[in-house]
Amino acid sequence: MRRKKSRTTAPRKSTRSRAAERVLARSCVFGLLARALRYPDGELFAALQGGRWAAEVTEAARRSGVGARSPFLDELRRVADTLPAGLADLQNLHTTLFSSGGACPHQESDYVASHTFQKADVMADVAGFYRAFGFQVSSVTRELPDFLGTELEFLHVVGVKEVFARQHGHRAGASVCRRAQKTFLTDHLGVWIGVFRERVAHGGAGPFYVLLARLAEGFVRAQHIRPRALVRPSAPVADLEGSPPCSGCP
C-alpha cells in the first residue's frame, strides 16, 4: 500500500519569513534616515565619515527590495565624500538650515498649511497616528510631531510592530500596521518630502544635506505610493522656482 505524501507548509512559511524580513529591512532604512536628520553628535559623525551608516543603509535597502542598480544605492556611496571637515561644521550647518527661522524648515506643516490653525490641524493629525501606536514625541529632543526625522522614525516603529505581529500570528494587527504605514505615506510624508528636497537643494545646504534629502525622498518614492496632491506649496519654495542651485550642491 502506497503511503500518501504529506503536504508541507515549508514554502509558505518561507514566503512569509521573507516578507517579514523585507518589512523589517524597510523599517531599518527609515530609522537610519531619521537618525541622520537629527542634530549630529560624535557617534553619528563617526558612522557617516567611516562609512558604517552608508553600509547599514545599503544592506537594509537591498534586503527591503531595492534593486542593485538603483540610484538610491549609487548615491549612498557618496555620503562620506559630502561631509564637512568636522563635527562642529556639520552641527553649525544643521543649525543654520533647520533651526527655527532657518533656511530649510523640516516640519510638514510649514509646507502644507498656510496659517496657524491649519498647522495645528496637521500636527494634531500626525500626533494622532503616533498615539494610536503608543508612540510619543520625546520631551528631551523638543522636536515637533511633524518633524521629518520623527515622521521617518514613526514609520520605523510601525514597521517593527508589523513584524512582531506577523511573527506572533496576529494577522489583524499586522494588517493595521500595513494600512497605517500606507496611509501615513499617502497623506503625510509622501506629500511634502519632494518639496522639502527642493528647499534643501536651493537653501545653501551644502552637498551632505542635499544628498540626504534626496535619499529620504528616493526611499519614500520607492514604496510605490500615490500621495495626495500638495494643495499649497510653501511660498518661499515657490519663490525659488527657476533659480539656480547653490554653488556647493552636487
Side-chain angles (χ1 to χ4, degrees):
M1 182 176 179
R2 297 178 62 184
R3 296 179 59 185
K4 293 183 178 180
K5 293 183 178 180
S6 60
R7 294 181 179 178
T8 177
T9 59
R12 188 173 299 174
K13 287 182 178 180
S14 178
T15 300
R16 287 200 297 265
S17 178
R18 288 197 298 271
E21 287 176 1
R22 286 195 298 270
V23 173
L24 188 60
R26 183 178 69 232
S27 166
C28 182
V29 175
F30 281 130
L32 288 164
L33 289 170
R35 176 67 186 94
L37 280 159
R38 295 197 178 277
Y39 186 75
D41 55 21
E43 182 181 357
L44 174 62
F45 187 79
L48 292 167
Q49 189 178 52
R52 187 172 75 252
W53 182 87
E56 290 177 359
V57 177
T58 298
E59 176 61 23
R62 285 174 173 167
R63 287 189 284 109
S64 76
V66 173
R69 297 183 179 181
S70 167
F72 180 84
L73 298 181
D74 288 336
E75 295 211 292
L76 278 169
R77 300 185 182 98
R78 301 177 50 236
V79 169
D81 295 333
T82 64
L83 280 174
L87 173 60
D89 297 317
L90 185 61
Q91 290 174 333
N92 290 336
L93 184 56
H94 188 281
T95 300
T96 300
L97 291 171
F98 303 130
S99 62
S100 178
C104 304
H106 54 355
Q107 281 85 29
E108 177 183 348
S109 54
D110 284 318
Y111 296 89
V112 303
S114 59
H115 54 72
T116 302
F117 295 113
Q118 281 186 341
K119 289 186 176 184
D121 287 343
V122 170
M123 286 189 279
D125 192 54
V126 170
F129 274 90
Y130 299 168
R131 286 194 301 272
F133 289 89
F135 184 41
Q136 293 183 340
V137 179
S138 170
S139 60
V140 177
T141 59
R142 300 182 182 278
E143 296 289 359
L144 294 172
D146 59 339
F147 163 51
L148 175 57
T150 307
E151 293 195 358
L152 288 165
E153 190 172 350
F154 170 70
L155 290 168
H156 163 68
V157 171
V158 179
V160 172
K161 285 180 174 287
E162 179 186 345
V163 173
F164 181 86
R166 284 171 175 266
Q167 291 175 338
H168 290 79
H170 303 318
R171 293 184 179 180
S175 179
V176 167
C177 291
R178 285 196 301 274
R179 289 199 305 270
Q181 291 169 77
K182 182 177 180 179
T183 303
F184 193 78
L185 284 165
T186 300
D187 293 350
H188 289 287
L189 185 55
V191 175
W192 69 284
I193 187 67
V195 189
F196 170 76
R197 188 264 307 156
E198 291 176 9
R199 173 71 71 87
V200 174
H202 292 87
F208 172 70
Y209 283 112
V210 170
L211 178 61
L212 187 57
R214 281 207 303 264
L215 288 170
E217 183 190 18
F219 195 69
V220 168
R221 301 295 179 225
Q223 307 315 307
H224 306 295
I225 52 131
R226 297 184 64 181
R228 63 177 175 81
L230 178 60
V231 176
R232 194 201 72 85
S234 64
V237 173
D239 292 341
L240 288 168
E241 288 180 358
S243 62
C246 60
S247 59
C249 299

